[in-house]
Amino acid sequence: MSLQSFGVIGLAVMGENLALNVERNGFPIAVFNRTGAVTDKFMETRAQGKKVIATHTLQEFCAALETPRKILLMVKAGKPTDDTIDALKPFLEPGDVVIDGGNSLFTDTERRTKDLEGLGFTFIGMGVSGGEEGALNGPSMMPGGTETAYRNLEPILTKIAAQVDDGPCVTYIGKGGAGHYVKMVHNGIEYGDMQLIAEAYDLLKNVAGLDHKQLHEVFTEWNTTDELNSFLIEITADIFKYIDPETSKPLVELILDAAAQKGTGRWTVQSALELGVSIPTIIAAVNGRIMSSIKAERVEAAKVLTGPDGKFTGDPKVFVDQVRDALYCSKICSYAQGMALLSAASKAEGYNLNLSEISRIWKGGCIIRAGFLNKIKDAFKAEPDLANLLLAPEFKQTILDRQSAWREVISQAAKMGIPVPAFSASLDYFDSYRRANLPQNLTQAQRDYFGAHTYERVDKSGSFHTEWTKEG
């Protein structure tokens, strides 16, 4: 029996689709799933007639692979991944590559990399974005860990990745947990994007009065622009035109307004707090999902808590354009926060991240793929140590040109009692970043008053403490 080039463990939707993607691109595969019936069903259906070998034990699975083995794990993050790795170890040989393609916490990946390298194996923690369609037809992949392992995988990964005008959407991210860290921040940006789009929808529907057909038309038009052309805007346009066959109503209006989350947004927020990086738009997005989840409580509150009775008296067409500008400005701020977090983590963890290249591999395959990523790529290519995306000439000018519309939209939302936490957080981020002086001089005085924490002065160097109850 000839040996297979690649192995996949875990045949849920993502695992199946990645396995078929690898096989379609010329690499025969072996597959294993903890539940053998899942493997058998895969072989009888989607894998039929393809260069796929089914195995029913890990020993059989490893024996079916050429060495050094290349094994992709597509199992649940956390303990299931650790358990699978432990079960694999007796059958591995020095030089074998284990790849974790799940949404693992980057610190787990750091630990696994050290563990497997210490045993003579190599490990890759690889973020994969694009959903089931991307997994099958070309995802964006963010592999980090043992660099020699990535070089062994490169011929396969560059073929199965999404392809854009300047290459495949995969690159070596960095050592240890770098790949999963970048994927985590990618997901944090995704949270921000989705919350901003939801707020734009709320404003267009409940301020401008657009119906589902008009919303479809607006988002379809927005997707043709350089600013907002993106996967998330595209699918939003599709969502608005879908009519529920049972009720003949727009399906989106029948979906419960309680959003779920799997943890990567929360991890992003936690990491930002630990590193001291401001990411208010992404925090607002996580908070937005949390607030949405208390549906029953909100229903009761709506009976007794009232807001303004303001009515919109402006031109709906003008307001639609203002929302478009506000969405783009806010989106720039969200990405600026994400890239600032990546930059800080790169320094703290020694990842040596290439922000231009990371922007490039997000151009295709992934959920946050968007036309304006080309501009982000170019900004960090021109200035790799750019302190903040807001300082890049094009983005700076874009916000300066559109900020009046942005402010008008948020003002209108406040007058009508419509929450726009991510729009507002983005504007607050911009206004805070652009001000040379903030009121935290008072905060420092308060800290020194009650805790003798000291403060610095603007007119001379050193640390100072004052007995504030005594006369100056």
Side-chain angles (χ1 to χ4, degrees):
M1 180 182 75
S2 61
L3 298 177
Q4 305 297 87
S5 302
F6 197 83
V8 177
I9 297 176
L11 293 174
V13 173
M14 289 291 287
E16 275 196 8
N17 284 347
L18 281 167
L20 293 172
N21 187 349
V22 172
E23 190 277 338
R24 187 183 67 248
N25 278 282
F27 303 96
I29 63 171
V31 297
F32 171 83
N33 194 82
R34 184 182 60 176
T35 304
V38 173
T39 306
D40 295 337
K41 182 180 179 181
F42 178 60
M43 295 302 296
E44 292 165 5
T45 54
R46 301 183 74 193
Q48 197 169 51
K50 302 185 186 301
K51 293 179 180 178
V52 182
I53 290 177
T55 65
H56 292 85
T57 68
L58 288 176
Q59 184 174 10
E60 181 188 3
F61 172 78
C62 288
L65 297 173
E66 65 185 20
T67 55
R69 297 177 181 88
K70 303 172 184 68
I71 300 171
L72 173 63
L73 308 184
M74 294 301 297
V75 299
K76 192 174 181 180
K79 189 174 185 297
T81 298
D82 282 326
D83 290 346
T84 304
I85 292 172
D86 287 341
L88 265 176
K89 285 177 183 177
F91 310 114
L92 298 178
E93 298 176 14
D96 287 352
V97 183
V98 178
I99 313 146
D100 174 14
N103 268 334
S104 289
L105 182 61
F106 74 100
T107 51
D108 286 343
T109 304
E110 300 273 0
R111 169 176 54 79
R112 292 168 187 149
T113 303
K114 291 176 183 176
D115 175 46
L116 289 173
E117 285 181 344
L119 297 172
F121 315 131
T122 55
F123 187 71
I124 289 289
M126 183 170 72
V128 180
S129 179
E132 56 183 288
E133 181 183 346
L136 181 62
N137 297 313
S140 173
M141 293 178 288
M142 293 147 262
T146 313
E147 185 169 5
T148 54
Y150 173 74
R151 299 306 167 196
N152 288 334
L153 295 168
E154 197 169 19
I156 298 175
L157 297 183
T158 53
K159 282 196 174 183
I160 70 171
Q163 308 292 319
V164 292
D165 57 349
D166 48 8
C169 292
V170 63
T171 191
Y172 176 66
I173 299 295
K175 69 176 187 176
H180 274 138
Y181 191 91
V182 169
K183 175 57 163 56
M184 177 190 76
V185 175
H186 162 286
N187 284 21
I189 294 171
E190 180 184 309
Y191 271 56
D193 256 2
M194 294 174 73
Q195 177 68 24
L196 289 167
I197 291 170
E199 291 175 17
Y201 153 64
D202 198 1
L203 291 164
L204 295 178
K205 177 186 175 186
N206 294 306
V207 176
L210 273 57
D211 62 23
H212 72 281
K213 291 181 180 178
Q214 293 168 314
L215 288 165
H216 166 70
E217 292 169 359
V218 166
F219 277 82
T220 299
E221 193 276 326
W222 283 359
N223 196 47
T224 65
T225 65
D226 289 339
E227 297 90 347
L228 294 179
N229 167 251
S230 66
F231 174 71
L232 285 171
I233 294 291
E234 176 187 346
I235 68 171
T236 302
D238 288 344
I239 287 168
F240 287 130
K241 73 178 180 181
Y242 190 92
I243 302 300
D244 176 44
E246 295 181 20
T247 64
S248 298
K249 296 179 180 178
L251 180 57
V252 69
E253 302 300 336
L254 301 175
I255 296 174
L256 186 70
D257 57 321
Q261 53 182 316
K262 291 187 175 180
T264 48
R266 182 180 73 251
W267 294 346
T268 305
V269 171
Q270 290 170 337
S271 179
L273 291 173
E274 290 169 359
L275 290 170
V277 177
S278 178
I279 57 166
T281 307
I282 297 170
I283 291 173
V286 174
N287 284 338
R289 294 197 190 192
I290 293 170
M291 185 63 77
S292 79
S293 70
I294 56 170
K295 174 68 174 179
E297 196 173 329
R298 288 187 290 111
V299 169
E300 291 304 310
K303 297 174 184 177
V304 296
L305 300 178
T306 59
D309 295 324
K311 293 184 179 180
F312 180 65
T313 57
D315 184 337
K317 291 184 178 180
V318 171
F319 188 70
V320 168
D321 288 343
Q322 290 174 329
V323 172
R324 178 200 61 209
D325 288 347
L327 177 58
Y328 186 46
C329 289
S330 298
K331 185 183 178 82
I332 292 170
C333 287
S334 183
Y335 278 74
Q337 293 160 36
M339 302 313 274
L341 179 55
L342 288 178
S343 179
S346 181
K347 294 179 179 121
E349 302 290 342
Y351 288 152
N352 195 30
L353 299 180
N354 183 329
L355 299 186
S356 178
E357 183 68 354
I358 288 169
S359 304
R360 186 194 68 76
I361 67 170
W362 287 348
K363 286 168 52 180
C366 72
I367 302 302
I368 65 170
R369 61 184 183 267
F372 95 130
L373 279 162
N374 250 327
K375 297 176 182 178
I376 298 178
K377 180 199 76 171
D378 292 344
F380 283 108
K381 188 174 182 179
E383 194 175 344
D385 295 325
L386 181 67
N388 192 290
L389 199 60
L390 296 177
L391 300 177
E394 179 165 340
F395 292 118
K396 175 187 72 175
Q397 196 57 48
T398 292
I399 287 184
L400 293 179
D401 290 344
R402 303 181 189 210
Q403 62 173 307
S404 60
W406 194 10
R407 297 179 191 281
E408 179 59 33
V409 165
I410 293 172
S411 174
Q412 187 65 55
K415 289 177 183 176
M416 297 191 66
I418 294 176
V420 284
F423 273 34
S424 299
S426 297
L427 180 58
D428 288 344
Y429 180 78
F430 170 72
D431 279 338
S432 295
Y433 194 71
R434 71 174 182 81
R435 289 188 66 190
N437 296 301
L438 292 171
Q440 274 64 44
N441 55 320
L442 177 58
T443 304
Q444 284 298 87
Q446 292 169 331
R447 292 178 72 246
D448 188 58
Y449 188 115
F450 64 67
H453 293 295
T454 75
Y455 55 87
E456 295 176 275
R457 294 176 59 122
V458 298
D459 56 352
K460 53 187 174 181
S461 60
S463 294
F464 300 89
H465 168 63
T466 295
E467 296 294 331
W468 291 88
T469 54
K470 295 180 180 179
E471 290 188 21

